[in-house]
Amino acid sequence: MFKKLTLGIIFLLMPWMLRAQFALTGTVSNQKTGKPLPGANIVVGNLFLATTSDQNGHFNFKNLKAGTYQIKVSYVGFETFKEKIKINKNTHLKISL
């Protein structure tokens, strides 16, 4: 009986748990030229998640829970970008260094 009750609760909560996960996407570009910066380092500081931008300057983090995150973007020869952002939906950032 307890096993069935536990499974029932899990199935009832599953849609809610899946909805609580968001994506953070973005593009990193050169502020002066507007061209993408491939290979930029993007870090979500409080989660210790990191990635690099692709050849078009795009990056993607999936399955983030709602909350406030410290984003840090760095690229050799450019000033580092740091900002706190609030995630409560899928979010796209345009970052110019």
Side-chain angles (χ1 to χ4, degrees):
M1 178 69 174
F2 180 73
K3 187 176 180 179
K4 288 182 181 180
L5 180 62
T6 303
L7 286 174
I9 291 171
I10 290 172
F11 284 120
L12 287 174
L13 293 176
M14 193 173 275
W16 177 78
M17 292 185 316
L18 292 175
R19 274 188 287 150
Q21 297 178 352
F22 304 105
L24 171 63
T25 60
T27 305
V28 183
S29 61
N30 183 321
Q31 186 175 21
K32 293 180 182 175
T33 66
K35 292 185 179 182
L37 294 175
N41 296 306
I42 303 96
V43 178
V44 180
N46 24 350
L47 295 180
F48 304 105
L49 293 175
T51 191
T52 56
S53 58
D54 66 14
Q55 63 190 14
N56 298 313
H58 298 247
F59 64 89
N60 186 12
F61 292 99
K62 296 179 181 178
N63 302 322
L64 296 177
K65 293 184 180 181
T68 302
Y69 297 97
Q70 176 72 39
I71 305 299
K72 179 180 171 184
V73 181
S74 59
Y75 193 82
V76 175
F78 289 82
E79 188 174 333
T80 298
F81 170 90
K82 292 181 185 178
E83 186 174 306
K84 284 189 178 183
I85 60 165
K86 186 173 183 177
I87 303 274
N88 56 12
K89 61 181 179 177
N90 290 335
T91 303
H92 184 83
L93 300 176
K94 292 183 180 181
I95 301 169
S96 298
L97 301 180

